[in-house]
Amino acid sequence: MGWKEQRKTSGFSRFLYLLIILAAAYGTTSAAYGGETKGAVVVSQPAAAQRNAYATMMYMGTPRDYEFYVAIRVMVKSLARLRVDADRVVIASMDVPLRWVQALEQEDGAKVVRVENLDNPYKDQSNFDRRFKLTLNKLYAWRLVEYDRVIMLDADNLFLQKTDELFQCGQFCAVFINPCIFHTGLFVLQPSMEVFKDMVHDLEIGRENPDGADQGFICGYFPNLLDRPLFHPPPNGTKLDGTFRLPLGYQMDATYYYLRLRWSVPCGPNSVITFPGAPWLKPWYWWSWPVLPLGISWHEQRRQTLGYAAEIPAILIQFAIYVGIITMTRLARPSFSKICYRRSEKNISFIQTGLKVIAVWSILASYVVPFFIIPHTVHPLIGWTIYLFGSFGLCSIAINAFLLPMLPVLVLWLGIFGSLLVMAFPWYSDGVVRALAVFGYAFCAAPFAWVAMVKIMACLQVSLEREAFFPKLGESSPPPGFNKLY
């Protein structure tokens, strides 16, 4: 190995060392993917029985079960970090893995209540979304009769401060983030077996439900909430009776934040952020930031609570594989190119077309494959770093195999990196300016992408026309001094 290769290998080693340091900074005690953490610090249950509870639900049967498991753990731990004066309850279906239940109880200090899934009678509606099939398990919150009040939560809530004053609200309280329909991502209830049985009866008789999920059912069960007064916590700490609307500050829709890149909610404290938008842009996904700026706030809470020890081994393995790919493709470049450009006497035009298609698809795959194999809930800085490094590593295969110039192949790579910088720029005045900046960047970058594609195709054509100079595999090279004129 020459001194150039040794210097490249040394550079890769230093980069790997820096990545391990970054991983250690973000890693804290947590269970590995579906595994149990040995030696973890056990958080003991509160000694005194609590009168109130923060509750959420967990069920299985979706492709994103693990992501929601992580989100629930982060929310439970963040509530503990805020020192809320209430139990933290997880209503878990019977098919939730036992190791997850143990992690919630022993490591996170949550109280897990196991339940059978409620049958959804609306699953055959034409407008029914299959991912909401088991959300009616939320009705089990009314069975928690050992508590005076329960705040029922979805996993995609981000708490900025504790909201214990909500336990003073009445029998049912919710926020209207939609002008006419309240949101069931956070609501306050007084547990009651009578109410629970009545709800189950309504399920059995098929009460009308516009969306077939918990949102439509609960909104139909409390149809007059819009006409109820706004909740204001009594200063003496007493509990109210009746139903109330909650101020918007208890359930701030992240969509509103992106318009002005700041909060402007004058009614009630700015306490809880919710993310009810597209399911693949939830804040725990590494690609959600800087596409959606609030994603980094959720990951900051995870860094302070659960940590990233579960994902770091997979990240380090991927990084090592990409280092190997870059090194091997560079060292094997001469032999690699001979395999791709072997001479053929028949169907030369068909072979040239096929090689062009393979080259283009290999470049596209270099940008797609790393995206899907990175652990979804890793920190965005680590996720984007390994994505860019992985796409660079896989692009090196196409560059060295087809003898392509590096810069045109990496134009898309540079464009993605630049778009991340544009979106992460912290000094936009509002969301509209940010959106215009992203659009302007894409408009300016498009011609460069087109020129790069033209350059790649031209280089491929030149290499294919030159392919006759490569010998067939197993064919001996012509002797020195050989000339076709003799």
Side-chain angles (χ1 to χ4, degrees):
M1 182 182 293
W3 68 271
K4 291 184 179 180
E5 286 77 7
Q6 292 177 353
R7 188 172 61 179
K8 291 178 182 177
T9 304
S10 176
F12 286 135
S13 300
R14 288 195 296 269
F15 188 79
L16 178 59
Y17 179 71
L18 290 175
L19 188 65
I20 293 174
I21 293 176
L22 180 62
Y26 282 107
T28 60
T29 56
S30 68
Y33 275 96
E36 298 173 354
T37 303
K38 297 184 179 180
V41 177
V42 176
V43 181
S44 60
Q45 294 284 352
Q50 296 288 345
R51 298 178 56 192
N52 305 304
Y54 289 86
T56 188
M57 66 173 177
M58 180 189 298
Y59 54 84
M60 306 299 291
T62 72
R64 300 184 295 151
D65 290 338
Y66 178 77
E67 286 87 341
F68 278 97
Y69 162 68
V70 171
I72 288 172
R73 293 194 65 186
V74 171
M75 185 173 66
V76 169
K77 281 181 170 287
S78 67
L79 289 171
R81 195 167 178 268
L82 290 172
R83 300 183 182 276
V84 296
D85 186 21
D87 279 350
R88 289 155 291 142
V89 178
V90 178
I91 302 172
S93 59
M94 297 301 294
D95 52 356
V96 171
L98 182 59
R99 59 184 179 274
W100 290 7
V101 173
Q102 292 173 342
L104 287 164
E105 292 179 336
Q106 299 174 9
E107 299 175 32
D108 304 338
K111 178 181 178 181
V112 179
V113 178
R114 306 301 295 270
V115 298
E116 295 288 347
N117 291 322
L118 284 175
D119 181 57
N120 192 321
Y122 311 103
K123 55 183 176 291
D124 295 326
Q125 289 184 178
S126 58
N127 64 336
F128 183 70
D129 191 332
R130 306 299 299 179
R131 62 193 176 99
F132 297 137
K133 180 180 178 181
L134 297 178
T135 56
L136 291 175
N137 285 2
K138 192 175 290 187
L139 304 184
Y140 279 114
W142 273 270
R143 286 186 54 178
L144 302 176
V145 292
E146 63 269 33
Y147 300 108
D148 292 341
R149 295 289 189 275
V150 171
I151 299 176
M152 190 64 195
L153 305 167
D154 281 350
D156 58 354
N157 282 309
L158 177 65
F159 279 78
L160 305 181
Q161 59 187 16
K162 67 179 181 180
T163 58
D164 287 356
E165 69 274 11
L166 289 178
F167 294 123
Q168 299 176 243
C169 202
Q171 279 68 43
F172 185 82
C173 310
V175 180
F176 282 82
I177 62 174
N178 179 299
C180 301
I181 302 173
F182 63 81
H183 186 52
T184 58
L186 180 151
F187 59 87
V188 185
L189 64 109
Q190 181 180 14
S192 167
M193 284 300 299
E194 182 180 354
V195 173
F196 174 74
K197 291 178 181 178
D198 188 55
M199 287 180 165
V200 173
H201 174 70
D202 285 352
L203 290 178
E204 292 172 350
I205 64 176
R207 172 196 283 270
E208 184 179 357
N209 186 346
D211 61 8
D214 64 290
Q215 176 78 47
F217 181 84
I218 298 176
C219 286
Y221 196 85
F222 298 96
N224 301 319
L225 193 66
L226 184 61
D227 301 324
R228 304 303 299 162
L230 195 67
F231 166 72
H232 297 284
N236 59 1
T238 59
K239 287 182 168 61
L240 301 175
D241 289 323
T243 57
F244 295 86
R245 289 181 292 114
L246 294 179
L248 186 61
Y250 289 109
Q251 189 81 145
M252 299 179 292
D253 188 342
T255 307
Y256 299 151
Y257 174 88
Y258 301 135
L259 293 176
R260 303 183 67 179
L261 298 181
R262 63 181 183 275
W263 293 117
S264 180
V265 183
C267 55
N270 294 347
S271 301
V272 186
I273 305 170
T274 188
F275 299 83
W280 288 106
L281 287 177
K282 293 296 185 182
W284 48 80
Y285 293 123
W286 61 266
W287 58 82
S288 67
W289 183 87
V291 179
L292 301 179
L294 281 175
I296 201 69
S297 300
W298 187 93
H299 278 280
E300 179 60 19
Q301 282 204 2
R302 176 173 181 179
R303 187 187 67 82
Q304 296 173 356
T305 55
L306 187 63
Y308 295 88
E311 290 88 353
I312 293 307
I315 291 295
L316 293 179
I317 290 172
Q318 290 183 34
F319 181 80
I321 291 174
Y322 294 140
V323 170
I325 289 174
I326 294 173
T327 304
M328 294 304 297
T329 53
R330 180 59 183 151
L331 296 178
R333 177 182 174 118
S335 302
F336 212 3
S337 60
K338 288 181 181 180
I339 295 175
C340 292
Y341 293 112
R342 56 181 299 186
R343 187 174 61 193
S344 177
E345 305 295 340
K346 300 179 180 179
N347 300 325
I348 188 66
S349 61
F350 175 77
I351 293 176
Q352 288 180 348
T353 302
L355 285 174
K356 287 182 180 179
V357 172
I358 293 173
V360 172
W361 276 104
S362 65
I363 295 173
L364 294 178
S366 301
Y367 292 98
V368 174
V369 171
F371 183 88
F372 288 101
I373 64 177
I374 296 173
H376 291 171
T377 55
V378 75
H379 192 281
L381 295 179
I382 298 178
W384 282 112
T385 298
I386 199 67
Y387 170 77
L388 292 172
F389 186 70
S391 58
F392 176 83
L394 295 181
C395 280
S396 68
I397 298 177
I399 291 171
N400 292 290
F402 297 96
L403 301 178
L404 298 174
M406 179 176 291
L407 184 59
V409 175
L410 294 180
V411 161
L412 182 57
W413 190 94
L414 295 171
I416 294 173
F417 181 73
S419 65
L420 295 177
L421 296 180
V422 171
M423 287 187 288
F425 184 73
W427 294 291
Y428 291 116
S429 59
D430 55 57
V432 175
V433 174
R434 179 177 182 268
L436 290 175
V438 174
F439 176 80
Y441 174 82
F443 181 81
C444 295
F448 292 96
W450 174 256
V451 171
M453 179 59 68
V454 173
K455 179 67 175 177
I456 290 172
M457 299 307 294
C459 290
L460 279 172
Q461 185 62 37
V462 170
S463 298
L464 290 169
E465 291 174 352
R466 194 177 55 194
E467 57 88 22
F469 292 97
F470 290 100
K472 292 182 180 179
L473 290 178
E475 183 180 72
S476 60
S477 300
F482 176 79
N483 194 310
K484 289 185 178 180
L485 296 178
Y486 299 98

